[in-house]
Amino acid sequence: MVFALARALISTSGRAVAVRAVPLVIAVGLVSAIVFGGHGVQPSTVVAMMHHSMGARVAMFVAWVMLASPAALHAFDAPGTRTLRALRPPRAPLYAMLIVLVGLAQAPWIALASSVGFLSGATAALLAGAATTSLPGFAGALAIVALDPPAAIVVAPALVLTIVSIRHAWRHALDQRPAFPIVRRAPPAFALALTYLARIVRVGRARLQAAAIVVFAGEGALALSLRNDPDARPVARALAVLAFPLAIAAALIAAPAIETEARLRPLLRSTRTKTATLAIATALALATPSTALAATASIALAPSVAWVSVAYALVIASAIAVWARRAARARRSSTFVLGVAVIATTFTIAGAAC
């Protein structure tokens, strides 16, 4: 029975998790090879920094949950899991196998934590597994991460929290989510921006993950640069280093917004929505995740530099939004890529000149 259950889970949940987790692991591995390879930062140094700063460890934990949760959650609603629920398999082996499947999506996080010991890696695996599978698990894991107790003390509560979270996710994954209005009354640009954002979150999760990885890699390179030479114009260096990652991030999430506008075009024409309103809505939709990612630079940078980075992200996202709407009418898809490269280069030069 246990072997048959394992085979059924691997063919359903395992396949769904692997399809989404393998690209994430590869992308994070490539960034890690750049940051930690050769004479780069040691993983244990990053773990020590997280232990010394509550803001750093909470921000990095939340960022990882955002990256890994789309892959982990597919272990519970993959095609075929409805049949497994109807068969009512034994709970203990089911939850144990689900913990292993969810742990596969946490491989980079586990590897980072394991650099300082086995117990630390096991605790990180359990907390990340709990946080990426249910909202109660995320709340409990975040509280433990913020308190930062010793791994030997927290490993048992983390295991209990993971089991409870896995059980909650398995029982409620197929429940119909209640519908709620995004806005009741709002300006046209704001309402359209929320519509674009909802589309980005719903169908562009892989793009959001890629954008987050690109920005985090840029911020890691910036932190290393400022660590080696902290007095050499930090604001200008931040703007020059982050211009390309922020431009790429905004470009990655532009497609769902442009597709949504194309689908709504008959309605927008009938309501005589102005072109300026559409441009502002697209800019707001791209600027929201871009500025949120840029704000994570406050972990390693001074607050003034972080605020400047957020403002720069807003300007870059607006420029990418305007260009994306214009390039959508071009015959060649390479037109958009070339324009993004020109925008990123321009902002890099402008940032270096500040």
Side-chain angles (χ1 to χ4, degrees), residues 56-333:
R57 65 175 175 268
V58 168
M60 291 186 68
F61 182 74
V62 172
W64 175 253
V65 170
M66 291 173 57
L67 291 175
S69 57
L73 288 174
H74 276 81
F76 305 97
D77 61 357
T81 54
R82 191 182 296 272
T83 303
L84 284 177
R85 286 177 172 84
L87 296 175
R88 296 188 178 183
R91 295 182 181 180
L94 173 66
Y95 295 160
M97 294 173 193
L98 286 173
I99 289 175
V100 173
L101 288 178
V102 171
L104 294 177
Q106 322 294 338
W109 184 257
I110 297 171
L112 177 63
S114 299
S115 63
V116 295
F118 173 77
L119 272 181
S120 178
T123 304
L126 293 172
L127 291 177
T132 54
T133 50
S134 72
L135 188 58
F138 173 73
L142 187 62
I144 294 175
V145 169
L147 294 175
D148 193 27
I153 297 176
V154 79
V155 64
L159 176 59
V160 175
L161 179 64
T162 303
I163 294 174
V164 172
S165 183
I166 291 288
R167 178 176 178 272
H168 181 276
W170 180 257
R171 294 183 63 182
H172 299 283
L174 300 181
D175 291 350
Q176 187 175 2
R177 295 180 178 87
F180 60 92
I182 297 178
V183 290
R184 296 188 181 277
R185 276 191 174 183
F190 184 69
L192 281 173
L194 288 179
T195 304
Y196 297 164
L197 277 174
R199 178 72 175 176
I200 291 171
V201 172
R202 184 173 181 180
V203 304
R205 291 180 180 177
R207 292 176 177 270
L208 282 174
Q209 288 181 348
I213 291 173
V214 169
V215 175
F216 292 158
E219 291 176 354
L222 176 61
L224 292 176
S225 175
L226 292 177
R227 181 181 179 185
N228 294 331
D229 190 7
D231 298 327
R233 302 171 61 199
V235 173
R237 193 185 306 181
L239 299 183
V241 171
L242 294 180
F244 256 96
L246 291 174
I248 295 172
L252 284 171
I253 58 179
I258 299 301
E259 291 172 1
T260 305
E261 181 181 327
R263 293 187 176 189
L264 295 176
R265 188 165 293 130
L267 177 62
L268 296 174
R269 286 178 177 174
S270 64
T271 55
R272 297 181 180 180
T273 305
K274 298 180 180 179
T275 304
T277 301
L278 298 177
I280 294 172
T282 308
L284 288 174
L286 300 189
T288 300
S290 297
T291 53
L293 293 173
T296 59
S298 60
I299 298 172
L301 305 178
S304 59
V305 178
W307 280 113
V308 171
S309 302
V310 170
Y312 213 50
L314 176 62
V315 177
I316 292 175
S318 301
I320 294 293
V322 173
W323 175 246
R325 296 190 69 254
R326 184 175 182 84
R329 299 189 294 269
R331 295 181 179 179
R332 298 179 180 178
S333 58

